[in-house]
Amino acid sequence: MTPYFKILGIAALMASCTSSTNEMALLPVKAKTDSAKADTTIKEEENFEFTSEQFADLRILRYHVKDFDKIPLKIKTQLYYLYQAALSGRDIVYDQNFKHNLTIRKTLEAIVAGYKGNAEDEQYKQFLVYAKRVWFSNGIHHHYSMDKFVPECSPEFFNDLILKDDSNLLPLSAGQNRKQFAESISKIIFDPSIAPKKVSLDSKNDLIKSSSVNFYEGVTQKEVSDFYAAQIDKNSKSNPSYGLNSKVVKENGKLVEKKWMVGGMYTQSIEKIVYWLEKAVTVAENDKQKDALEKLIKFYKSGDLKDFDAYNIAWVKDTESSVDVVNGFIEVYEDPLGKKGSFESVVSVRDFEASKRIAAIGAQAQWFEDNSPILPQHKKKNVTGISAKVINAVVESGDAAPSTPIGINLPNNEWIRESHGSKSVNLGNIVEAYDQAAGGSVVNEFYYNTEIKNRVTECASLGDKLHTDMHEVIGHASGQTEAGVPSSSETLKNYANSLEEGRADLVALYYLMDKKLIELGVMPSLDYGKASYDEYITKGLIVQLARIKPGKDLEEAHMRNRMMVSAWVYEKGKKDNVIEKKNENGKTYFVINDYEKLRVLFGDLLREIQRIKSQGDFKAGQALIENYGVKVDKALHKEVLERYASLKMAPYQGFIQPKLVPVMEGDKIIDVKIEYPKNFVEQMLEYGKTYGFLPAYN
């Protein structure tokens, strides 16, 4: 279960938790909302450029931090220290994604920084697109499809770039000459049979052997599963997330963990993270924030997951601070077994005005739980410690950048959530950037008629925000497992992430057609719920198919989730024609005829998925995903690819990060300025030079 929410939506429909349903790039539309509808927009910099460039299937955006200059110096100083801590861990996620990634990235950086040839040469432009794709995906595998991508330039041209490079920055091994290095790295990059898939969820194969992530080496799926199963205390309700912060290898015939900690694996980066976190402690806003940061530092030094749990408990308690930070090994989507946490950091400052909407929902968490359609025995009698707010991201790194979540709900450890609560956030300025950079062409192409198009255009932006709020604040925090049932990562295994995201999506969908949101003053009418239903079904059954290659099944957890939910309710509602499949002029549409009956179906599926989670019913969970969330209609897929290609739009988006610059007076920070870089390549080269702490191999 990982409640992190990346995006798949129109004005923002997801990761993680990606609420996993709002992937902004797929259905961009700029909603026409006004202040009365609680849609805040950036007005202070009307000329701010939200779009930077587009290449391959990617678009690079920028986001703005509202009123940064008005933040008190102490707060800005802490943001600067946390900004440095975030970027200090950037190398880690590259190495986690694939053991050769850092070697490849350092090679690309050396070539691009030192290139003196013709920048307009077609082969060089193809090479540069490859370099930018690697930077965007934190490695040589697509950040979403998980497939390996290769340069469109020739291997001969690539090798020639290496041989002509005179920067002395190439990561050659001891005794290796440039020709040997070029031959070695070119084979890794260009041979499609080497590491073809970063994360494989094909249950017919050994998931470790068929995945290229650098979390395991020389071990099998069964060995790892048995290794961690033996560590679980079945009589305890407070087991740590075993395996979260380590690589598993075999030494002398036994499985051992190489811990990610000070003095262990990745120590060069982690020591820098700790250095900046310790400076952040000196300017903590309050005792609770200081306590959380100190416990995080202790975890990095000890590598003990019980210390990580202690940090998470302290972090949940800090609800008053204006500054917040996620820093650590958090989401487990990159691990086919759902155990290893990818490094990420999100540094943010609270948007107090925008937080009123999400806080109003969080305050009613018990009402939503009590009125949920799930079985009574799976409802929490006392929903504990949910805090909710809208934040403005200041910097994101690791697994959270350049592709970013739009909502976060943490911690992921289920017993902490049940006993101590959770914190949910909506990344307001990220959502705003998607809105500002959007256009309406996807709506015109994939929605059936003028009535639906107008409703989506008018209501999508707020509807998506509410979907994210409900997914994170209510969805992930709802429900409980039955006594004696282990965590879903143990019971539901490789299906756990998709099922959890589906569960949280369904909570949001069920309540988006509830008048309770109108009573709370967060939604003007049920038209916003209808627009969200229109979006979800259209994206789940049609538009998201633009993200995968012909002949491929769905493997990414959030795509499986959306397809599973949409296909299930479509099938179950056929008798009553709840959702109708229409074909006009060679174009397919899925049109909702009865929104109330669809809501009932969403509730029915929510009840079943909660039962599956609460009882650890692997076979039922497997059947849901495999039967409804994996297979793709090839004819429909071909049609969608052709329709989407005609729009000339990139289906994926990510961000250049703002830059914090301290103003010094001797050794003292007297101010912190914020800059908004415009050039993606320049930022990547600067990051590699400034924060490239890890060696090529670790």
Side-chain angles (χ1 to χ4, degrees), residues 2-9 12-23 331 333 404-409 425-427 431 464-465 467-469 471-472 476 501 504-505 558 561-562:
T2 33
Y4 201 48
F5 177 64
K6 283 183 181 179
I7 277 186
L8 213 193
L13 208 163
M14 139 156 318
S16 169
C17 160
T18 290
S19 156
S20 182
T21 330
N22 285 339
E23 291 219 348
E331 299 300 338
Y333 290 102
T404 172
I406 57 168
I408 300 171
N409 179 277
V425 298
N426 180 308
L427 281 69
V431 173
D464 284 340
K465 290 181 176 72
H467 187 284
T468 304
D469 294 347
H471 177 111
E472 300 296 345
H476 283 306
E501 295 307 325
D505 267 0
H558 300 98
N561 146 46
R562 285 186 292 272

Side-chain angles (χ1 to χ4, degrees), residues 245 259 261-262 297-305 307:
N245 65 326
K259 290 288 185 71
M261 56 181 287
V262 172
I297 292 167
K298 182 180 179 182
F299 162 67
Y300 273 130
K301 290 181 176 180
S302 72
D304 188 335
L305 285 168
D307 288 337

Side-chain angles (χ1 to χ4, degrees), residues 248-458:
V248 177
V249 299
K250 188 178 289 186
E251 293 181 356
N252 299 319
K254 293 184 178 181
L255 270 62
V256 297
E257 291 184 300
K258 298 175 68 175
K259 290 288 185 71
W260 306 328
M261 56 181 287
V262 172
M265 192 172 177
Y266 304 140
T267 187
Q268 301 94 329
S269 283
I270 295 174
E271 288 171 22
K272 295 290 186 180
I273 295 171
V274 167
Y275 170 82
W276 290 108
L277 290 176
E278 288 177 337
K279 293 185 78 69
V281 168
T282 66
V283 286
E285 294 180 64
N286 51 57
D287 289 342
K288 288 183 178 179
Q289 187 185 67
K290 180 180 179 182
D291 182 49
L293 289 172
E294 288 176 338
K295 284 182 166 61
L296 177 57
I297 292 167
K298 182 180 179 182
F299 162 67
Y300 273 130
K301 290 181 176 180
S302 72
D304 188 335
L305 285 168
K306 291 183 179 179
D307 288 337
F308 186 65
D309 284 351
Y311 153 68
N312 277 301
I313 293 168
W315 179 77
V316 166
K317 292 178 181 178
D318 176 21
T319 59
E320 303 301 323
S321 300
S322 58
V323 170
D324 208 346
V325 60
V326 173
N327 187 300
F329 309 113
I330 309 298
E331 299 300 338
V332 298
Y333 290 102
E334 307 304 312
D335 178 6
L337 302 189
K339 294 186 179 297
K340 306 297 176 184
S342 297
F343 174 82
E344 71 176 53
S345 187
V346 177
V347 179
S348 63
V349 62
R350 187 190 305 231
D351 185 329
F352 286 92
E353 182 62 31
S355 293
K356 293 177 181 178
R357 181 193 72 243
I358 194 170
I361 292 172
Q364 295 293 319
Q366 191 65 60
W367 184 92
F368 288 113
E369 185 78 354
D370 293 343
N371 289 274
S372 171
I374 65 177
L375 296 173
Q377 62 267 35
H378 298 153
K379 294 181 181 181
K380 289 180 178 177
K381 303 300 183 289
N382 181 26
V383 179
T384 304
I386 293 179
S387 65
K389 60 186 176 182
V390 175
I391 62 173
N392 287 320
V394 175
V395 71
E396 300 172 299
S397 78
D399 194 41
S403 178
T404 172
I406 57 168
I408 300 171
N409 179 277
L410 293 171
N412 285 331
N413 193 316
E414 191 66 33
W415 75 263
I416 296 178
R417 299 167 64 80
E418 292 184 1
S419 301
H420 300 277
S422 62
K423 284 163 71 170
S424 297
V425 298
N426 180 308
L427 281 69
N429 60 337
I430 298 295
V431 173
E432 185 65 30
Y434 280 120
D435 281 352
Q436 293 290 329
S441 55
V442 173
V443 173
N444 290 330
E445 176 61 41
F446 289 101
Y447 289 82
Y448 180 62
N449 58 28
T450 301
E451 177 187 354
I452 297 172
K453 291 175 184 178
N454 287 344
R455 182 168 57 232
V456 169
T457 301
E458 294 291 338

